[in-house]
Amino acid sequence: MIILEGVAMCENKNFIKQWEHTHLKHNEGRIISDDWLIEFENSILPLEGLFLDLGCGSGNDTNTLINKYGKKVISCDFSSTALNQLKRKIPSAKVCKFDMTEQFPFENDQFDCVISDLSLQYFDKETTKSIINEISRVLVPNGVLLLRVSGVEDVNYGALRGEYLDHHFYYVEHRNKRFFDKQDVLDFFCNWSNVVLREMVMEKGRYEYERRVVVAMFYNKNQLKI
C-alpha cells in the first residue's frame, strides 16, 4: 500500500470540503462502472507496467483495471474520503493522496498508462496545461492517456451555465468547471498523438442523470525518443 501524506494539498479548502461531502453522500455503496474502458482493451491489455488512475474518486476505473484486466494501479485523489472508500472496496489497491495541481510525486517515465476520467475539468487554462505536462512527464515515451471530460452538451451537470470565467469555463454548482468540445481537447493536447476522439453519452447508473462527455485516447508524443 502506498500512501503519501504531507504532499501539498489544494489551497481552496472549500473545494476539498465539497468533494469530501460528495464522496460521503454518493460513493459509499458498491462500485458502479459504465465500462467505458472496454473500447480500449486492445491498447490496455498488452501494457505490463504501472497504471495511474488520476482523480480516481472511489475507484470505478481502478476496479476495472485491477479486477477485470489484472493491472498494477496507483489510484490518486486529494480526497481522503474517496481513498478510504476505495480501500474498503478494493483492499489490494495502492493509493496515493496528492493534489494534481502541484508536481506529481512520481519519477519521470514511471507509468505505461494514465487514466483521467472526469478529473481534468475543474481548472483554469494554465493549470490545465501544467497538469497535462505532468501527465506527460510521468508517462513513458509513447505511453497511453485515456481521457474523459465533460462536454459542452453536458447540461444535466451544468454545461455552459453559471458565471462565465473563460472560454467554456464557468463557476457553476459551487465550483469552477470546464466544458470541452472536441477542438478544445485537441488544443490542450496539441503536442500529443491523437488516436480516438469522440463524443459519448453516459447512461444513468454511475451518475443520477445522463451525462454528455468527450472521450479521447492519446499517445505521449512529447517524450518520444527518436
Side-chain angles (χ1 to χ4, degrees):
M1 176 180 178
I2 299 174
I3 300 181
L4 302 184
E5 299 290 353
V7 181
M9 295 299 293
C10 197
E11 293 181 358
N12 188 343
K13 296 186 183 300
N14 288 332
F15 187 67
I16 296 174
K17 289 179 180 178
Q18 290 168 13
W19 279 110
E20 298 287 9
H21 175 75
T22 296
H23 289 298
L24 279 172
K25 182 178 179 182
H26 296 293
N27 295 331
E28 186 59 36
R30 66 186 178 89
I31 292 176
I32 301 174
S33 175
D34 60 330
D35 291 327
W36 72 288
L37 294 176
I38 289 177
E39 176 182 354
F40 303 103
E41 280 186 346
N42 290 339
S43 299
I44 290 173
L45 289 175
L47 301 178
E48 298 180 352
L50 274 174
F51 283 62
L52 176 63
D53 189 357
L54 186 63
C56 61
S58 57
N60 300 284
D61 296 324
T62 293
N63 182 61
T64 299
L65 292 169
I66 292 176
N67 292 322
K68 184 177 179 66
Y69 299 126
K71 298 304 178 181
K72 295 172 288 186
V73 185
I74 298 180
S75 306
C76 303
D77 208 285
F78 71 175
S79 167
S80 298
T81 300
L83 294 178
N84 289 337
Q85 290 172 339
L86 188 154
K87 285 295 293 181
R88 284 196 293 272
K89 298 170 186 178
I90 314 171
S92 64
K94 295 178 172 63
V95 300
C96 176
K97 179 181 175 183
F98 74 94
D99 176 4
M100 71 171 70
T101 66
E102 304 290 341
Q103 182 175 341
F104 294 6
F106 305 114
E107 300 295 330
N108 295 354
D109 305 341
Q110 188 166 349
F111 297 94
D112 279 5
C113 181
V114 172
I115 310 292
S116 179
D117 187 9
L118 302 177
S119 63
L120 194 66
Q121 55 191 38
Y122 299 102
F123 311 105
D124 62 53
K125 187 177 296 183
E126 291 308 310
T127 302
T128 303
K129 290 179 179 179
S130 176
I131 295 170
I132 292 169
N133 287 337
E134 278 296 284
I135 293 173
S136 175
R137 180 182 67 80
V138 302
L139 265 175
V140 298
N142 215 28
V144 175
L145 170 65
L146 300 178
L147 175 77
R148 279 201 303 193
V149 288
S150 288
V152 293
E153 295 183 357
D154 196 23
V155 293
N156 290 330
Y157 290 87
L160 309 187
R161 292 192 281 110
E163 179 185 351
Y164 176 87
L165 301 174
D166 197 359
H167 173 71
H168 291 170
F169 189 46
Y170 291 79
Y171 181 76
V172 59
E173 297 175 348
H174 309 294
R175 62 186 61 141
N176 295 345
K177 191 170 183 181
R178 182 176 299 280
F179 301 91
F180 295 76
D181 59 26
K182 290 190 287 187
Q183 188 59 53
D184 293 334
V185 174
L186 291 176
D187 289 344
F188 273 110
F189 289 90
C190 58
N191 294 321
W192 295 62
S193 178
N194 179 240
V195 181
V196 173
L197 180 65
R198 66 179 182 84
E199 296 171 340
M200 170 185 176
V201 177
M202 294 177 63
E203 303 294 340
K204 293 190 295 183
R206 176 174 166 184
Y207 290 93
E208 185 177 359
Y209 304 105
E210 178 185 275
R211 299 204 64 162
R212 302 296 180 104
V213 299
V214 178
V215 60
M217 175 179 168
F218 290 94
Y219 286 117
N220 186 22
K221 192 173 68 172
N222 282 1
Q223 296 186 6
L224 277 176
K225 296 180 176 68
I226 301 175

